[in-house]
Amino acid sequence: MKSYQPKNKISIIIIAFFALLLMIPEEATAQRFGHFTPHAVMPRPMPMPRPTPRPIPPTPRPIPPRPLPPPPHPYPYPRPLPPPFHPYPVPYPYIYHPFVPYYWGPTWYPVGFFMATLTTAAIVISVENNQYNYDDGVYYTKESNGYKVVPAPLGATISELPKGYATINVSGTDYYYYGGAYYTKDSSKYKVVNAPVGAIVSHLPEGAEEKTIDGQKYMIYNNVYYQPISKDGQDSYVVVQGK
């Protein structure tokens, strides 16, 4: 009798293949055919660095207490500010002329001039606990290496007027003018005083400055304002505002 053989060997192979698949673990089969990526070995997590603590801000400096307000003024109303420049009326018209400094002789020196030594005729004058050296109408202060010319200090007294002074009468009072300084007779001496308003002088010393106010030019010397005028055909200056 003739044995039975399958007509197609392929069917036998397919049956054997599926039987083999049933025997292989599911994970290996899936990995072989690329159904999923094998679990990768995860690296060990690194420890996270600790955050740097924020610096503590320094304690703010204590705010000093506000100064106390000044005590009340002894007067019922505060003193007003000094008034702006306003020239006193004078009976002379304003006439501008260029300023030319005047020199009162070889022994006179302008303010700011420096000398290493003084003559033997120089004397010491004390005014309000301040020491000055005086020599022929010029006042000096002692410096480290010499003497410096300064404006005549108010209140200084001298026994004799320097040569070349001019006499000026203002409101019935005689004033004596020399080198930009004004004197009045005080018993047997002469005392330095403020420039009287209305005094007319023909010369101003070196150091006077020109300033324009309201379109007019004035000369300022030692904080005294002079208005250029013409008197008796001569260029002069009249004091319109003193210290």
Side-chain angles (χ1 to χ4, degrees):
M1 183 175 178
K2 193 175 181 179
S3 61
Y4 173 78
Q5 294 182 358
K7 295 181 179 181
N8 192 354
K9 295 180 179 181
I10 296 175
S11 59
I12 298 174
I13 295 172
I14 291 173
I15 294 171
F17 177 74
F18 280 104
L20 183 62
L21 287 179
L22 295 175
M23 297 175 63
I24 297 175
E26 182 179 358
E27 292 181 0
T29 306
Q31 181 178 355
R32 181 176 181 181
F33 289 95
H35 290 177
F36 65 92
T37 305
H39 294 288
V41 179
M42 297 299 293
R44 189 174 184 181
M46 298 295 293
M48 296 296 292
R50 294 183 178 181
T52 305
R54 294 183 179 181
I56 301 175
T59 305
R61 294 181 179 179
I63 301 176
R66 293 185 178 181
L68 296 176
H73 203 275
Y75 301 97
Y77 299 98
R79 292 180 179 178
L81 296 175
F85 172 78
H86 181 72
Y88 293 95
V90 294
Y92 304 97
Y94 169 88
I95 298 179
Y96 172 77
H97 49 82
F99 168 66
V100 179
Y102 185 78
Y103 296 88
W104 275 265
T107 60
W108 181 85
Y109 302 99
V111 173
F113 188 84
F114 183 84
M115 295 186 65
T117 58
L118 298 178
T119 66
T120 56
I123 61 174
V124 177
I125 297 178
S126 179
V127 181
E128 296 182 355
N129 298 325
N130 294 321
Q131 298 290 331
Y132 298 90
N133 294 88
Y134 171 81
D135 186 12
D136 199 15
V138 184
Y139 296 83
Y140 304 83
T141 54
K142 185 73 170 64
E143 300 287 336
S144 59
N145 54 349
Y147 300 87
K148 183 179 180 181
V149 178
V150 295
L154 294 177
T157 58
I158 56 177
S159 59
E160 185 179 356
L161 291 171
K163 295 180 180 180
Y165 72 88
T167 303
I168 303 170
N169 187 276
V170 181
S171 301
T173 303
D174 286 335
Y175 294 86
Y176 306 95
Y177 176 75
Y178 179 88
Y182 296 84
Y183 299 83
T184 57
K185 189 73 177 294
D186 185 12
S187 64
S188 61
K189 295 187 177 182
Y190 299 90
K191 184 178 181 180
V192 178
V193 295
N194 286 319
V197 174
I200 299 174
V201 297
S202 56
H203 304 293
L204 291 178
E206 179 181 344
E209 299 179 357
E210 190 176 87
K211 186 175 182 179
T212 302
I213 303 175
D214 295 334
Q216 295 184 353
K217 294 184 183 297
Y218 295 86
M219 300 304 302
I220 304 174
Y221 181 79
N222 196 21
N223 296 327
V224 178
Y225 286 75
Y226 294 85
Q227 173 182 312
I229 63 171
S230 178
K231 183 182 179 183
D232 300 331
Q234 181 182 5
D235 290 339
S236 303
Y237 302 90
V238 58
V239 177
V240 293
Q241 184 166 314
K243 291 185 179 179

